[in-house]
Amino acid sequence: MVRPQIGKYSISRRDLLYTFYGLMSFTALVSCGTNKGSTGNSSTTLSANASSNNKGSTKVVRLGYQVSGDLTHEQGVIEKRLAPQGIGVTWSQFVSGPPLLEALNVGSIDMGPTGETPPIFAQAAGTNLIYVVNTPPGTGEGSAIIVLKDSPIQTLAGLKGKKVAYSRGTAQTYFVVKAFEEIGLKISDIESVNLTIADGRAAFLNKTVDAFVEGDPNLIKLQREGSIRVLRNAQGIKTPGSYYLASRDFAINNAELLKAILSEYYEVGQWANKNRRAAAEILAPKVKTDVDTMELTLARRKYDMRPITEEVISAQQKVADLLYELKLVPKQVDVKGATLTAQQYTAITPDAVRNKA
């Protein structure tokens, strides 16, 4: 049974902890299992000539990914890259960014990707994370505030005082904030219903809520069925994009290893940009959709990387400041406190990515 949490959107310390700790039980249901690699690789001893940057202690790299799919995971290239060094790889799947970062916080994984919003909530909750590399935003078409086709609500303004379901602490939060801001409304002007994506979708289809923030590939499916209307997608919403994040200890103590991992993510992304159909054929069965839908999903994404620069940090700080101003996080977050020195970033950033600065 769906049990929405409804109320004006202001977040207390208890709410903040819910975002990270409360979702973990649900995460366990969909996760591949923390420290339980879906690739079948097991940890082995580091080879004698392993890099000193790894301090001879990392035997297994534990990577997180989300239910939206991860081509690098499916290709197995990181495993192949690290095998000669005697380093194993395990993967854990998460429903969204907040539980992924909670796993990072408790030491269950070493790194993984999220949107721009989860790391701000995580920093506010005390997670000792590091922004490793930035990934640019897609077209914005892959996320939208939707209503059912027969809904009397015709515009975003019509949602004032209405129930809107989305997952608190995810990138959906920032999207909702900015979408309503551009029409002169605050997030407190709507009834925010904090639900996981699956529960939010169920509440929406059952008409328990008035609107829902949906994403690809399910958004594409609903659009093709003609069962919904899009009030606003994320096109034109300015965002820093997403990030790969790592625990501070892992990032500092494994520079060469981290650089190798990021290189594989980058190369797979470049391949995907040029081979959308082939990439869709790999991911479609994993996310339980058809190849055509997956291909369109990928066309709305942008597989690329940018180094963490002052410009990127400044853009992310603006997001943090806005969320604090709206009292969505209980304390001011200093994004720069979750970054490395320029020298450290040089050591972990692939050359092809660093040259884009």
Side-chain angles (χ1 to χ4, degrees):
M1 178 183 297
V2 176
R3 295 181 179 176
Q5 298 183 11
I6 303 172
K8 292 297 183 181
Y9 199 120
S10 62
I11 187 164
S12 64
R13 178 66 180 173
R14 181 180 179 183
D15 291 331
L16 187 67
L17 291 175
Y18 167 81
T19 300
F20 289 93
Y21 295 96
L23 285 176
M24 288 306 291
S25 59
F26 184 79
T27 301
L29 298 177
V30 299
S31 174
C32 292
T34 304
N35 295 331
K36 191 174 184 180
S38 60
T39 61
N41 287 7
S42 59
S43 61
T44 55
T45 306
L46 280 171
S47 60
N49 62 349
S51 167
S52 60
N53 284 334
N54 297 332
K55 296 191 176 181
S57 61
T58 301
K59 299 178 182 179
V60 178
V61 176
R62 302 161 303 168
L63 303 175
Y65 71 109
Q66 297 189 36
V67 293
S68 53
D70 191 302
L71 274 171
T72 308
H73 168 234
E74 302 304 332
Q75 299 282 53
V77 291
I78 294 177
E79 290 83 344
K80 295 175 184 176
R81 175 76 173 261
L82 301 184
Q85 300 178 52
I87 301 174
V89 181
T90 65
W91 295 82
S92 295
Q93 188 185 67
F94 300 88
V95 293
S96 61
L100 185 151
L101 291 183
E102 172 54 22
L104 188 77
N105 182 45
V106 300
S108 297
I109 62 172
D110 299 308
M111 66 176 292
T114 79
E116 80 289 290
T117 307
I120 294 168
F121 278 77
Q123 273 193 271
T127 302
N128 199 8
L129 57 82
I130 290 294
Y131 291 88
V132 173
V133 73
N134 177 234
T135 56
T139 65
E141 297 166 277
S143 186
I145 301 170
I146 62 174
V147 294
L148 290 171
K149 186 178 180 179
D150 60 358
S151 170
I153 299 170
Q154 301 295 320
T155 65
L156 277 184
L159 288 175
K160 184 175 182 180
K162 303 296 184 181
K163 300 172 186 176
V164 181
Y166 57 96
S167 185
R168 178 181 299 169
T170 69
Q172 292 182 348
T173 303
Y174 181 67
F175 166 39
V176 170
V177 166
K178 296 300 289 184
F180 282 100
E181 180 184 70
E182 69 182 10
I183 62 168
L185 295 178
K186 292 185 177 180
I187 200 167
S188 57
D189 291 321
I190 64 171
E191 292 274 4
S192 289
V193 184
N194 179 29
L195 292 171
T196 63
I197 295 171
D199 284 349
R201 186 176 300 132
F204 173 69
L205 295 176
N206 291 330
K207 299 186 178 181
T208 305
V209 297
D210 301 292
F212 175 51
V213 181
E214 182 62 281
D216 286 344
N218 203 62
L219 175 60
I220 295 170
K221 175 177 176 290
L222 293 174
Q223 286 177 301
R224 286 176 172 169
E225 290 174 351
S227 59
I228 62 159
R229 284 184 287 107
V230 172
L231 297 183
R232 174 72 162 92
N233 64 26
Q235 281 186 299
I237 299 288
K238 191 173 182 180
T239 167
S242 301
Y243 299 91
Y244 281 93
L245 299 115
S247 68
R248 180 175 290 275
D249 286 346
F250 182 77
I252 291 176
N253 295 330
N254 299 279
E256 187 172 318
L257 173 58
L258 185 49
K259 184 175 183 178
I261 293 169
L262 291 174
S263 294
E264 295 303 325
Y265 276 120
Y266 177 76
E267 291 301 327
V268 169
Q270 296 304 295
W271 174 83
N273 286 337
K274 298 174 183 177
N275 299 274
R276 300 284 188 189
R277 186 71 179 182
E281 289 172 351
I282 294 170
L283 283 179
K286 303 299 179 180
V287 299
K288 299 180 181 179
T289 192
D290 62 274
V291 175
D292 288 343
T293 296
M294 195 70 232
E295 185 175 16
L296 179 55
T297 297
L298 296 180
R300 293 174 170 182
R301 296 179 184 174
K302 187 175 183 180
Y303 283 104
D304 207 350
M305 284 185 178
R306 297 183 296 199
I308 301 297
T309 62
E310 288 295 330
E311 181 182 1
V312 170
I313 295 169
S314 176
Q316 183 69 355
Q317 186 64 55
K318 289 178 181 178
V319 177
D321 292 344
L322 177 60
L323 296 181
Y324 175 67
E325 177 186 333
L326 295 173
K327 299 181 180 179
L328 301 183
V329 291
K331 58 185 284 188
Q332 184 74 59
V333 168
D334 178 15
V335 171
K336 202 160 188 175
T339 62
L340 301 172
T341 67
Q343 183 178 8
Q344 287 171 321
Y345 274 125
T346 297
I348 69 170
T349 307
D351 295 342
V353 176
R354 195 170 66 249
N355 291 337
K356 294 183 177 184

